[in-house]
Each structure stands twice: as structure tokens, then as C-alpha cells.
Amino acid sequence: MTMPDLRPDAIIFEDVSKIFSSGQGATIALEKLSFSIRAGEYACILGRSGCGKSTAANLLLGLDRPTSGRVRVFGENPARDFARLRGRLGSVFQSDRLLPWRTAVENVQLPLEILKISEYSLSTSAAEWLTRLGLQGFEESFPHQLSGGMRQRVALARALVAEPDIVVADEAFAHLDEVTGERLRRDFHRLTKETGKTVIHITHSIDEALSLGDRIFVLGKPGHLLAEIDEVPLKDRTALRSYILTHLQGTVRQAPKTAAVANGSSDQATLSQEWAT
Amino acid sequence: MSSARFLSTVLGRSSTAALSPGEAGEDQTAVRAWANSPVNVEGIGALVGLAVAWQIASHYFPAFLFPPLQTIAATLVSTVSDPAMLSTIGLTFLRIVVSLAGTFILASALGVAAALHPRTDRILEPLIQLKQGVPGVCWIIFSILWFKGMEARIAFIVVISTLPSFYYQVRDGVRGISLELWQMVRAWRPTRFQMLLKLILPALRPTLLTAWRINLGGGTRMVITAELLAGVSGIGYQLRTAEEQFRMDSAVAWTVILVAFVLACDAILKAVERRLRLGAPAPGIAA
């Protein structure tokens, strides 16, 4: 018998809907999405492209407001109580989003400058973070002088330098080659676990979610919760994989026929190919 | 005309095909060296040609139309060595720089506000379009009628004439900052001032430098025109005096001083631009 997890909830999504209106009509990105993530947990949000994963990340970061429902981060509304969560949320995105006019170390220092944190008060300085992420000697390099993998490492250092409580990784390793992506995934997982961060890792890769997550939330389209899987490391990965695939394929069957079907490649086939590895 | 064609023309050869293979190779190497030279040989040739044409014209026309180059040079030297004239030069340059700096600050504030707040843009857009429709000379007349003091007239004319260009450059520059960078910086919850300091202004630096380079010439023209039509001091006033006294040598000497000022400012801005571009992505560098 396992002990119940008594850690407090760091993140709560409660019946959250987000509708984007434009001249061509409304697009539902999230539809009554509900989940909660406990402090110190490594949670993966898994879903196909366009299922509202990044919208959920933006709501969590306070960059956007939900159309309805409630988002809470440590009990605060991240959009309304914007300043109260200063320094508590770090983020790393699919593209590195480095400022091209700043060197690697200056990019890492950006959050410290915004939060007015002296490097002396931190256990690990900006330069030390770069070293921990294997970028020793590249501190003074500009982003255009670094490879894609190195730039993403700088972005990871930037996300972690201010010692935030929560780190949001939005498809952070998706565009890297397999070897680089795997190394970065491993480093990121190790560093966030070592420092006890709450991580919300958004991904479309089942394998990535299975290898990293303590908990997995499977999202359907438009963004709603299809399945929630607890204690992932303790469970059989093959069984989980097919369980997740079944859920995701279920959403495909509900989707209307698309042009891809007419072209001879159904969404179902594309899905299988995408996640065959 | 390309360098190679110019050289062929200068050498009196229509093409290298008529040369022996060895000769053709040497000739093409020479062409490449010439074309790649940091000195614009053709441009210098054109300027020398113009000077020669002027000097020839000075032999056939009276001095108030085409004074000899040595007379112009003597006037230029006496102008820049006369303390009173130096203060005239300084006054005009100060007017240009201060008026442009003031316009720049005002237009930057408006441009940033318009980029961030569509309502501000909707208010400003028709006003600026209306201004663009009014010829520059009308603003000079308005300034003479509205303002008594010379400095106020000049400042008004420069602001009116260069504000739209600065405004559009800044507004579109802010709009051009990628949403990804906005979101990344905003996710750290900066204050508005920090947003300006950490993202907007650094991202705008190349745009602002270009705006300065564009407006420097325009601002100089407007200051000189204002001094010429409504002034009692400055280079524009000196040009009007030269015109009244039929002193073409003096008019050319003042023009040379103005051109030197604009070129010097442009060179400084270029140097600053080169320095700031250190962080910009260089073409051809693999990711």
C-alpha cells in the first residue's frame, strides 16, 4: 500500500476554457481543462499538435487569461496577480528565445537583472550554470556563434538561474536532434530533480513523457483532459504507451475528416508514424 | 557601369577574349583587385572629373558663377579660421543636433506608445498623414508667423519635418519585435520600465540608428532652409548673405562645411552601428 502524497498543489487548472476569437470565427484551444500538480512534481502534459498545450503554458505563465475557469499558481492568479509570482516561475520554450544582442552569460543574467537579484546571493551564478550545462568557455559567445543545442542549453540555464519554484518547459527539446535532445532532457531532468523544482513539461512525445514524468496528463483536442497517469516510473512503460496511444487515437476518431484523408494519409496513419519511435 | 567594364573602357579593350590566355588571366586578376579595393576608385574619378569641369568652367564664366577652385579653397580656409564664423558653424550644428535629439525623444515616446496601444496609433495616424500632406515650406511660413524667436522657429520646423520618419521607424520597429521574445521577457514579470530597458530599446537600436542616419540629412536641410528664410544667424543666414553679395566662393565654402558635417555624423553613426551589430546574427553562420 502506497502512502498518499501530501505535498500541496503548486498548480491548479479548474474547468479552464480558452477561446480565441478572430474575424474568421472562434477557435477553442482549451475546453474545461482541469488538473493539479503537486509541489516538487515533474508533470508532463502530453498531446498532439494543436491540442492547446502551449495555450495552457501561457495561461500558467500569466501571459494570457482564460476565457472561463480558474488557474492558480501557489494560490495566486498568474495573470491578475502578475507581480506576486515574480521570480517563482521559470520557462524554457521550443525555440531558445535568446536575445541576439546579449552574450550567453548576459542572456542567463537577464532574469537576475529583472528580479534585481545579486549573483552573490545565489548558490549557483550565471556562469556556473553555463558550466553545469557544459558551456564552459562559451560565456562571451553571442547566440549566432552557438549551435542550436548550445543555445537551448543557454535557455535552460536562464530558466534555472533565478532558482524559480516552477519551471515550465514548452516542447523545449522538440526541435533538437535525437542525441542532443536526449542529453539535454537528461541534464534538465537531473538538475530540476536535484534542486527540487516543480516542472510542467509540455511535449508531444509519448516516450519523452514516459521517460521524464512522475505524472502524465494526456490532453485531447480541443484541450481537455483525456487521461491522468500517476506514479509513472513505477509502471510498465509498454503498457502505458499503448494505454496513452489508445486514448489519443480515440480523439482522432472523434475528429472530422480532414484533407489529409483525401490525400491518402489519414490522421491515424500520421499519428502512428509520428510516435512509432 | 561595373568595375570590369569601366577598366575595359579605360584600357580601350572591349573584352578579354582578344588577349592571350595568360594576358587575360592577369587582366582579370587586376580587374578583381580593383573591384575589391576598399577605395571607390570610380567615385573618386567622378569627383575629380567634376572638379576639373568646374575649373574649366571658371575660365569661361565670371567668378560669381564659377569661381576658381583655389578661390573657394582660400575662402574655406579663411571661414574655418575666423572665430566668428566658427561660432556660426557651431550654432547651426548645435541647432541641428539639439532639434533632432528633441524630435527623436518625442517621436520615440509616441512610436512606442502607438505600437503598444492601438488607440494611440489610431489617434496619431491621421494627424501625421495630415502633416505629411502639407509642403515643408508652408511649415516654415507658419513658424515665422507663430514664433518670434529664431530658435523656436527652427525647433518647430525640424520637429515637424522629421517627427513622422522617426515615429514610423520606432513604431514599426517595436511592432517588429518577435512575439516569442516579448513572451520570454514578460514571463519573468518585468516592470514596464524594465521591459523598455531590457527588450524594446536594445531591439530597436539598429532601427534607431537608421532613423538617425535618414533624418540627419533631412534635419540639416530644414535647419538651413529655416535659417535661410527666417534667420539672422547660422550657416543658412551666411548662405543668404553670400547670395545677396554674389559670393559663389563663399556659398560653395559653406556648402562644403555642411556636407563635411553630415558625412562626419554619418561616419560616426556607421561606426556605432558596426559596434552594436556585434551581437546581431551574421549571415552564413550555421546554427
Side-chain angles (χ1 to χ4, degrees), chain B residues 232-265:
Chain B
V232 287
S233 61
I235 295 177
Y237 172 71
Q238 293 299 333
L239 281 168
R240 195 174 73 209
T241 308
E243 181 254 320
E244 284 166 356
Q245 295 172 350
F246 297 98
R247 289 281 310 276
M248 181 56 117
D249 58 328
S250 180
V252 174
W254 284 114
T255 307
V256 168
I257 290 167
L258 275 175
V259 170
F261 169 74
V262 173
L263 292 181
C265 288

PDB file of all heavy atoms in Angstrom, chain B residues 232-265:
ATOM      1  N   VAL B 232      18.674  85.128 -38.681  1.00  0.00           N
ATOM      2  CA  VAL B 232      19.630  86.238 -38.659  1.00  0.00           C
ATOM      3  C   VAL B 232      20.991  85.721 -38.175  1.00  0.00           C
ATOM      4  O   VAL B 232      21.880  86.486 -37.865  1.00  0.00           O
ATOM      5  CB  VAL B 232      19.140  87.378 -37.728  1.00  0.00           C
ATOM      6  CG1 VAL B 232      17.990  88.121 -38.357  1.00  0.00           C
ATOM      7  CG2 VAL B 232      18.770  86.855 -36.347  1.00  0.00           C
ATOM      8  N   SER B 233      21.107  84.400 -38.127  1.00  0.00           N
ATOM      9  CA  SER B 233      22.380  83.790 -37.723  1.00  0.00           C
ATOM     10  C   SER B 233      22.446  82.382 -38.305  1.00  0.00           C
ATOM     11  O   SER B 233      21.430  81.855 -38.778  1.00  0.00           O
ATOM     12  CB  SER B 233      22.475  83.727 -36.187  1.00  0.00           C
ATOM     13  OG  SER B 233      21.415  82.939 -35.674  1.00  0.00           O
ATOM     14  N   GLY B 234      23.652  81.812 -38.229  1.00  0.00           N
ATOM     15  CA  GLY B 234      23.823  80.438 -38.682  1.00  0.00           C
ATOM     16  C   GLY B 234      24.267  80.335 -40.138  1.00  0.00           C
ATOM     17  O   GLY B 234      24.365  81.340 -40.855  1.00  0.00           O
ATOM     18  N   ILE B 235      24.530  79.099 -40.547  1.00  0.00           N
ATOM     19  CA  ILE B 235      25.067  78.868 -41.899  1.00  0.00           C
ATOM     20  C   ILE B 235      24.046  79.287 -42.957  1.00  0.00           C
ATOM     21  O   ILE B 235      24.408  79.848 -43.996  1.00  0.00           O
ATOM     22  CB  ILE B 235      25.477  77.386 -42.057  1.00  0.00           C
ATOM     23  CG1 ILE B 235      26.643  77.070 -41.113  1.00  0.00           C
ATOM     24  CG2 ILE B 235      25.856  77.070 -43.498  1.00  0.00           C
ATOM     25  CD1 ILE B 235      27.108  75.628 -41.123  1.00  0.00           C
ATOM     26  N   GLY B 236      22.767  79.007 -42.713  1.00  0.00           N
ATOM     27  CA  GLY B 236      21.720  79.387 -43.677  1.00  0.00           C
ATOM     28  C   GLY B 236      21.722  80.887 -43.906  1.00  0.00           C
ATOM     29  O   GLY B 236      21.615  81.352 -45.051  1.00  0.00           O
ATOM     30  N   TYR B 237      21.892  81.646 -42.828  1.00  0.00           N
ATOM     31  CA  TYR B 237      21.939  83.111 -42.951  1.00  0.00           C
ATOM     32  C   TYR B 237      23.161  83.521 -43.761  1.00  0.00           C
ATOM     33  O   TYR B 237      23.099  84.414 -44.613  1.00  0.00           O
ATOM     34  CB  TYR B 237      21.955  83.722 -41.550  1.00  0.00           C
ATOM     35  CG  TYR B 237      22.192  85.199 -41.544  1.00  0.00           C
ATOM     36  CD1 TYR B 237      21.205  86.090 -41.992  1.00  0.00           C
ATOM     37  CD2 TYR B 237      23.406  85.737 -41.102  1.00  0.00           C
ATOM     38  CE1 TYR B 237      21.421  87.453 -42.011  1.00  0.00           C
ATOM     39  CE2 TYR B 237      23.637  87.108 -41.108  1.00  0.00           C
ATOM     40  CZ  TYR B 237      22.646  87.963 -41.561  1.00  0.00           C
ATOM     41  OH  TYR B 237      22.875  89.309 -41.581  1.00  0.00           O
ATOM     42  N   GLN B 238      24.304  82.860 -43.497  1.00  0.00           N
ATOM     43  CA  GLN B 238      25.534  83.159 -44.237  1.00  0.00           C
ATOM     44  C   GLN B 238      25.361  82.843 -45.727  1.00  0.00           C
ATOM     45  O   GLN B 238      25.870  83.561 -46.586  1.00  0.00           O
ATOM     46  CB  GLN B 238      26.706  82.356 -43.663  1.00  0.00           C
ATOM     47  CG  GLN B 238      27.122  82.742 -42.258  1.00  0.00           C
ATOM     48  CD  GLN B 238      27.594  84.191 -42.152  1.00  0.00           C
ATOM     49  OE1 GLN B 238      28.081  84.777 -43.137  1.00  0.00           O
ATOM     50  NE2 GLN B 238      27.430  84.797 -40.989  1.00  0.00           N
ATOM     51  N   LEU B 239      24.625  81.787 -46.014  1.00  0.00           N
ATOM     52  CA  LEU B 239      24.369  81.438 -47.419  1.00  0.00           C
ATOM     53  C   LEU B 239      23.529  82.530 -48.089  1.00  0.00           C
ATOM     54  O   LEU B 239      23.760  82.897 -49.250  1.00  0.00           O
ATOM     55  CB  LEU B 239      23.647  80.088 -47.505  1.00  0.00           C
ATOM     56  CG  LEU B 239      24.515  78.843 -47.330  1.00  0.00           C
ATOM     57  CD1 LEU B 239      23.651  77.597 -47.144  1.00  0.00           C
ATOM     58  CD2 LEU B 239      25.441  78.646 -48.535  1.00  0.00           C
ATOM     59  N   ARG B 240      22.556  83.059 -47.327  1.00  0.00           N
ATOM     60  CA  ARG B 240      21.711  84.117 -47.892  1.00  0.00           C
ATOM     61  C   ARG B 240      22.552  85.383 -48.149  1.00  0.00           C
ATOM     62  O   ARG B 240      22.430  86.029 -49.189  1.00  0.00           O
ATOM     63  CB  ARG B 240      20.573  84.446 -46.911  1.00  0.00           C
ATOM     64  CG  ARG B 240      19.473  85.260 -47.568  1.00  0.00           C
ATOM     65  CD  ARG B 240      18.305  85.467 -46.653  1.00  0.00           C
ATOM     66  NE  ARG B 240      18.630  86.427 -45.598  1.00  0.00           N
ATOM     67  CZ  ARG B 240      18.078  86.419 -44.386  1.00  0.00           C
ATOM     68  NH1 ARG B 240      17.194  85.499 -44.061  1.00  0.00           N
ATOM     69  NH2 ARG B 240      18.414  87.322 -43.493  1.00  0.00           N
ATOM     70  N   THR B 241      23.464  85.658 -47.211  1.00  0.00           N
ATOM     71  CA  THR B 241      24.351  86.824 -47.383  1.00  0.00           C
ATOM     72  C   THR B 241      25.230  86.632 -48.622  1.00  0.00           C
ATOM     73  O   THR B 241      25.410  87.561 -49.422  1.00  0.00           O
ATOM     74  CB  THR B 241      25.244  86.990 -46.125  1.00  0.00           C
ATOM     75  OG1 THR B 241      24.391  86.999 -44.987  1.00  0.00           O
ATOM     76  CG2 THR B 241      26.058  88.257 -46.169  1.00  0.00           C
ATOM     77  N   ALA B 242      25.750  85.404 -48.772  1.00  0.00           N
ATOM     78  CA  ALA B 242      26.598  85.105 -49.933  1.00  0.00           C
ATOM     79  C   ALA B 242      25.807  85.303 -51.229  1.00  0.00           C
ATOM     80  O   ALA B 242      26.332  85.841 -52.216  1.00  0.00           O
ATOM     81  CB  ALA B 242      27.114  83.672 -49.838  1.00  0.00           C
ATOM     82  N   GLU B 243      24.562  84.901 -51.203  1.00  0.00           N
ATOM     83  CA  GLU B 243      23.708  85.041 -52.398  1.00  0.00           C
ATOM     84  C   GLU B 243      23.471  86.515 -52.708  1.00  0.00           C
ATOM     85  O   GLU B 243      23.577  86.954 -53.859  1.00  0.00           O
ATOM     86  CB  GLU B 243      22.389  84.309 -52.134  1.00  0.00           C
ATOM     87  CG  GLU B 243      21.397  84.331 -53.287  1.00  0.00           C
ATOM     88  CD  GLU B 243      20.231  85.275 -53.051  1.00  0.00           C
ATOM     89  OE1 GLU B 243      19.727  85.327 -51.911  1.00  0.00           O
ATOM     90  OE2 GLU B 243      19.857  85.980 -53.998  1.00  0.00           O
ATOM     91  N   GLU B 244      23.216  87.309 -51.648  1.00  0.00           N
ATOM     92  CA  GLU B 244      22.946  88.745 -51.841  1.00  0.00           C
ATOM     93  C   GLU B 244      24.180  89.480 -52.363  1.00  0.00           C
ATOM     94  O   GLU B 244      24.075  90.457 -53.088  1.00  0.00           O
ATOM     95  CB  GLU B 244      22.493  89.367 -50.513  1.00  0.00           C
ATOM     96  CG  GLU B 244      21.046  89.005 -50.169  1.00  0.00           C
ATOM     97  CD  GLU B 244      20.687  89.328 -48.714  1.00  0.00           C
ATOM     98  OE1 GLU B 244      21.576  89.765 -47.951  1.00  0.00           O
ATOM     99  OE2 GLU B 244      19.514  89.110 -48.355  1.00  0.00           O
ATOM    100  N   GLN B 245      25.381  88.971 -51.965  1.00  0.00           N
ATOM    101  CA  GLN B 245      26.636  89.628 -52.387  1.00  0.00           C
ATOM    102  C   GLN B 245      27.257  88.972 -53.622  1.00  0.00           C
ATOM    103  O   GLN B 245      28.384  89.293 -53.980  1.00  0.00           O
ATOM    104  CB  GLN B 245      27.646  89.574 -51.225  1.00  0.00           C
ATOM    105  CG  GLN B 245      27.209  90.369 -50.006  1.00  0.00           C
ATOM    106  CD  GLN B 245      28.114  90.153 -48.809  1.00  0.00           C
ATOM    107  OE1 GLN B 245      28.977  89.269 -48.822  1.00  0.00           O
ATOM    108  NE2 GLN B 245      27.929  90.970 -47.781  1.00  0.00           N
ATOM    109  N   PHE B 246      26.514  88.048 -54.210  1.00  0.00           N
ATOM    110  CA  PHE B 246      27.017  87.304 -55.400  1.00  0.00           C
ATOM    111  C   PHE B 246      28.358  86.638 -55.114  1.00  0.00           C
ATOM    112  O   PHE B 246      29.266  86.660 -55.937  1.00  0.00           O
ATOM    113  CB  PHE B 246      27.115  88.229 -56.629  1.00  0.00           C
ATOM    114  CG  PHE B 246      25.791  88.770 -57.061  1.00  0.00           C
ATOM    115  CD1 PHE B 246      25.385  90.044 -56.686  1.00  0.00           C
ATOM    116  CD2 PHE B 246      24.941  88.014 -57.841  1.00  0.00           C
ATOM    117  CE1 PHE B 246      24.162  90.534 -57.072  1.00  0.00           C
ATOM    118  CE2 PHE B 246      23.697  88.506 -58.224  1.00  0.00           C
ATOM    119  CZ  PHE B 246      23.297  89.778 -57.849  1.00  0.00           C
ATOM    120  N   ARG B 247      28.495  86.055 -53.882  1.00  0.00           N
ATOM    121  CA  ARG B 247      29.757  85.402 -53.499  1.00  0.00           C
ATOM    122  C   ARG B 247      29.607  83.881 -53.624  1.00  0.00           C
ATOM    123  O   ARG B 247      29.350  83.196 -52.650  1.00  0.00           O
ATOM    124  CB  ARG B 247      30.128  85.759 -52.058  1.00  0.00           C
ATOM    125  CG  ARG B 247      30.577  87.196 -51.829  1.00  0.00           C
ATOM    126  CD  ARG B 247      32.020  87.417 -52.249  1.00  0.00           C
ATOM    127  NE  ARG B 247      32.933  86.435 -51.691  1.00  0.00           N
ATOM    128  CZ  ARG B 247      33.473  86.536 -50.473  1.00  0.00           C
ATOM    129  NH1 ARG B 247      33.197  87.564 -49.698  1.00  0.00           N
ATOM    130  NH2 ARG B 247      34.304  85.613 -50.043  1.00  0.00           N
ATOM    131  N   MET B 248      29.765  83.409 -54.854  1.00  0.00           N
ATOM    132  CA  MET B 248      29.642  81.956 -55.060  1.00  0.00           C
ATOM    133  C   MET B 248      30.712  81.189 -54.296  1.00  0.00           C
ATOM    134  O   MET B 248      30.463  80.093 -53.782  1.00  0.00           O
ATOM    135  CB  MET B 248      29.734  81.653 -56.562  1.00  0.00           C
ATOM    136  CG  MET B 248      29.594  80.191 -56.895  1.00  0.00           C
ATOM    137  SD  MET B 248      28.051  79.491 -56.259  1.00  0.00           S
ATOM    138  CE  MET B 248      27.261  79.024 -57.764  1.00  0.00           C
ATOM    139  N   ASP B 249      31.930  81.754 -54.193  1.00  0.00           N
ATOM    140  CA  ASP B 249      33.004  81.059 -53.461  1.00  0.00           C
ATOM    141  C   ASP B 249      32.598  80.825 -52.004  1.00  0.00           C
ATOM    142  O   ASP B 249      32.809  79.754 -51.442  1.00  0.00           O
ATOM    143  CB  ASP B 249      34.315  81.860 -53.540  1.00  0.00           C
ATOM    144  CG  ASP B 249      34.161  83.276 -52.992  1.00  0.00           C
ATOM    145  OD1 ASP B 249      33.045  83.842 -53.130  1.00  0.00           O
ATOM    146  OD2 ASP B 249      35.125  83.813 -52.427  1.00  0.00           O
ATOM    147  N   SER B 250      31.958  81.862 -51.421  1.00  0.00           N
ATOM    148  CA  SER B 250      31.511  81.745 -50.034  1.00  0.00           C
ATOM    149  C   SER B 250      30.385  80.713 -49.921  1.00  0.00           C
ATOM    150  O   SER B 250      30.384  79.881 -49.002  1.00  0.00           O
ATOM    151  CB  SER B 250      31.030  83.120 -49.559  1.00  0.00           C
ATOM    152  OG  SER B 250      30.605  83.043 -48.250  1.00  0.00           O
ATOM    153  N   ALA B 251      29.442  80.751 -50.881  1.00  0.00           N
ATOM    154  CA  ALA B 251      28.315  79.796 -50.864  1.00  0.00           C
ATOM    155  C   ALA B 251      28.837  78.363 -50.961  1.00  0.00           C
ATOM    156  O   ALA B 251      28.393  77.466 -50.230  1.00  0.00           O
ATOM    157  CB  ALA B 251      27.361  80.091 -52.011  1.00  0.00           C
ATOM    158  N   VAL B 252      29.818  78.142 -51.848  1.00  0.00           N
ATOM    159  CA  VAL B 252      30.369  76.781 -52.007  1.00  0.00           C
ATOM    160  C   VAL B 252      31.128  76.369 -50.742  1.00  0.00           C
ATOM    161  O   VAL B 252      31.015  75.240 -50.275  1.00  0.00           O
ATOM    162  CB  VAL B 252      31.279  76.695 -53.265  1.00  0.00           C
ATOM    163  CG1 VAL B 252      31.958  75.338 -53.351  1.00  0.00           C
ATOM    164  CG2 VAL B 252      30.480  76.957 -54.516  1.00  0.00           C
ATOM    165  N   ALA B 253      31.885  77.326 -50.161  1.00  0.00           N
ATOM    166  CA  ALA B 253      32.647  77.010 -48.935  1.00  0.00           C
ATOM    167  C   ALA B 253      31.697  76.583 -47.811  1.00  0.00           C
ATOM    168  O   ALA B 253      31.950  75.579 -47.120  1.00  0.00           O
ATOM    169  CB  ALA B 253      33.461  78.224 -48.503  1.00  0.00           C
ATOM    170  N   TRP B 254      30.589  77.305 -47.634  1.00  0.00           N
ATOM    171  CA  TRP B 254      29.608  76.932 -46.597  1.00  0.00           C
ATOM    172  C   TRP B 254      28.967  75.572 -46.903  1.00  0.00           C
ATOM    173  O   TRP B 254      28.720  74.775 -45.997  1.00  0.00           O
ATOM    174  CB  TRP B 254      28.509  78.004 -46.488  1.00  0.00           C
ATOM    175  CG  TRP B 254      28.971  79.236 -45.766  1.00  0.00           C
ATOM    176  CD1 TRP B 254      29.116  80.486 -46.287  1.00  0.00           C
ATOM    177  CD2 TRP B 254      29.368  79.334 -44.402  1.00  0.00           C
ATOM    178  NE1 TRP B 254      29.573  81.361 -45.342  1.00  0.00           N
ATOM    179  CE2 TRP B 254      29.734  80.672 -44.157  1.00  0.00           C
ATOM    180  CE3 TRP B 254      29.475  78.429 -43.350  1.00  0.00           C
ATOM    181  CZ2 TRP B 254      30.187  81.126 -42.919  1.00  0.00           C
ATOM    182  CZ3 TRP B 254      29.910  78.873 -42.115  1.00  0.00           C
ATOM    183  CH2 TRP B 254      30.262  80.206 -41.905  1.00  0.00           C
ATOM    184  N   THR B 255      28.731  75.335 -48.186  1.00  0.00           N
ATOM    185  CA  THR B 255      28.137  74.041 -48.573  1.00  0.00           C
ATOM    186  C   THR B 255      29.091  72.900 -48.238  1.00  0.00           C
ATOM    187  O   THR B 255      28.672  71.849 -47.727  1.00  0.00           O
ATOM    188  CB  THR B 255      27.813  74.043 -50.084  1.00  0.00           C
ATOM    189  OG1 THR B 255      27.023  75.191 -50.369  1.00  0.00           O
ATOM    190  CG2 THR B 255      27.082  72.789 -50.503  1.00  0.00           C
ATOM    191  N   VAL B 256      30.382  73.140 -48.524  1.00  0.00           N
ATOM    192  CA  VAL B 256      31.385  72.102 -48.215  1.00  0.00           C
ATOM    193  C   VAL B 256      31.387  71.803 -46.715  1.00  0.00           C
ATOM    194  O   VAL B 256      31.439  70.639 -46.289  1.00  0.00           O
ATOM    195  CB  VAL B 256      32.795  72.559 -48.699  1.00  0.00           C
ATOM    196  CG1 VAL B 256      33.886  71.645 -48.142  1.00  0.00           C
ATOM    197  CG2 VAL B 256      32.852  72.586 -50.216  1.00  0.00           C
ATOM    198  N   ILE B 257      31.288  72.855 -45.901  1.00  0.00           N
ATOM    199  CA  ILE B 257      31.274  72.677 -44.432  1.00  0.00           C
ATOM    200  C   ILE B 257      30.062  71.839 -44.015  1.00  0.00           C
ATOM    201  O   ILE B 257      30.177  70.921 -43.195  1.00  0.00           O
ATOM    202  CB  ILE B 257      31.271  74.054 -43.728  1.00  0.00           C
ATOM    203  CG1 ILE B 257      32.632  74.724 -43.926  1.00  0.00           C
ATOM    204  CG2 ILE B 257      30.947  73.914 -42.240  1.00  0.00           C
ATOM    205  CD1 ILE B 257      32.670  76.196 -43.572  1.00  0.00           C
ATOM    206  N   LEU B 258      28.916  72.144 -44.624  1.00  0.00           N
ATOM    207  CA  LEU B 258      27.694  71.388 -44.305  1.00  0.00           C
ATOM    208  C   LEU B 258      27.819  69.926 -44.691  1.00  0.00           C
ATOM    209  O   LEU B 258      27.465  69.025 -43.922  1.00  0.00           O
ATOM    210  CB  LEU B 258      26.497  71.993 -45.062  1.00  0.00           C
ATOM    211  CG  LEU B 258      25.816  73.172 -44.391  1.00  0.00           C
ATOM    212  CD1 LEU B 258      24.749  73.725 -45.305  1.00  0.00           C
ATOM    213  CD2 LEU B 258      25.213  72.752 -43.061  1.00  0.00           C
ATOM    214  N   VAL B 259      28.333  69.707 -45.908  1.00  0.00           N
ATOM    215  CA  VAL B 259      28.493  68.321 -46.386  1.00  0.00           C
ATOM    216  C   VAL B 259      29.445  67.567 -45.463  1.00  0.00           C
ATOM    217  O   VAL B 259      29.189  66.412 -45.083  1.00  0.00           O
ATOM    218  CB  VAL B 259      29.007  68.313 -47.853  1.00  0.00           C
ATOM    219  CG1 VAL B 259      29.406  66.906 -48.276  1.00  0.00           C
ATOM    220  CG2 VAL B 259      27.943  68.865 -48.795  1.00  0.00           C
ATOM    221  N   ALA B 260      30.526  68.246 -45.063  1.00  0.00           N
ATOM    222  CA  ALA B 260      31.504  67.605 -44.168  1.00  0.00           C
ATOM    223  C   ALA B 260      30.834  67.215 -42.849  1.00  0.00           C
ATOM    224  O   ALA B 260      31.079  66.129 -42.305  1.00  0.00           O
ATOM    225  CB  ALA B 260      32.673  68.546 -43.916  1.00  0.00           C
ATOM    226  N   PHE B 261      29.953  68.092 -42.348  1.00  0.00           N
ATOM    227  CA  PHE B 261      29.255  67.800 -41.083  1.00  0.00           C
ATOM    228  C   PHE B 261      28.369  66.565 -41.218  1.00  0.00           C
ATOM    229  O   PHE B 261      28.423  65.654 -40.384  1.00  0.00           O
ATOM    230  CB  PHE B 261      28.402  69.020 -40.687  1.00  0.00           C
ATOM    231  CG  PHE B 261      27.450  68.741 -39.557  1.00  0.00           C
ATOM    232  CD1 PHE B 261      27.907  68.608 -38.255  1.00  0.00           C
ATOM    233  CD2 PHE B 261      26.084  68.599 -39.795  1.00  0.00           C
ATOM    234  CE1 PHE B 261      27.030  68.348 -37.212  1.00  0.00           C
ATOM    235  CE2 PHE B 261      25.202  68.327 -38.760  1.00  0.00           C
ATOM    236  CZ  PHE B 261      25.684  68.205 -37.464  1.00  0.00           C
ATOM    237  N   VAL B 262      27.581  66.545 -42.298  1.00  0.00           N
ATOM    238  CA  VAL B 262      26.661  65.405 -42.488  1.00  0.00           C
ATOM    239  C   VAL B 262      27.458  64.112 -42.660  1.00  0.00           C
ATOM    240  O   VAL B 262      27.123  63.075 -42.054  1.00  0.00           O
ATOM    241  CB  VAL B 262      25.726  65.657 -43.699  1.00  0.00           C
ATOM    242  CG1 VAL B 262      24.901  64.414 -44.008  1.00  0.00           C
ATOM    243  CG2 VAL B 262      24.808  66.836 -43.417  1.00  0.00           C
ATOM    244  N   LEU B 263      28.534  64.166 -43.450  1.00  0.00           N
ATOM    245  CA  LEU B 263      29.335  62.955 -43.674  1.00  0.00           C
ATOM    246  C   LEU B 263      30.010  62.488 -42.386  1.00  0.00           C
ATOM    247  O   LEU B 263      30.075  61.286 -42.108  1.00  0.00           O
ATOM    248  CB  LEU B 263      30.380  63.198 -44.766  1.00  0.00           C
ATOM    249  CG  LEU B 263      29.834  63.394 -46.187  1.00  0.00           C
ATOM    250  CD1 LEU B 263      30.979  63.607 -47.173  1.00  0.00           C
ATOM    251  CD2 LEU B 263      28.992  62.202 -46.634  1.00  0.00           C
ATOM    252  N   ALA B 264      30.499  63.456 -41.602  1.00  0.00           N
ATOM    253  CA  ALA B 264      31.168  63.094 -40.337  1.00  0.00           C
ATOM    254  C   ALA B 264      30.163  62.437 -39.389  1.00  0.00           C
ATOM    255  O   ALA B 264      30.464  61.405 -38.772  1.00  0.00           O
ATOM    256  CB  ALA B 264      31.776  64.334 -39.696  1.00  0.00           C
ATOM    257  N   CYS B 265      28.964  63.023 -39.299  1.00  0.00           N
ATOM    258  CA  CYS B 265      27.936  62.440 -38.422  1.00  0.00           C
ATOM    259  C   CYS B 265      27.570  61.039 -38.901  1.00  0.00           C
ATOM    260  O   CYS B 265      27.401  60.118 -38.092  1.00  0.00           O
ATOM    261  CB  CYS B 265      26.687  63.317 -38.406  1.00  0.00           C
ATOM    262  SG  CYS B 265      26.940  64.837 -37.515  1.00  0.00           S
TER     263      CYS B 265
END
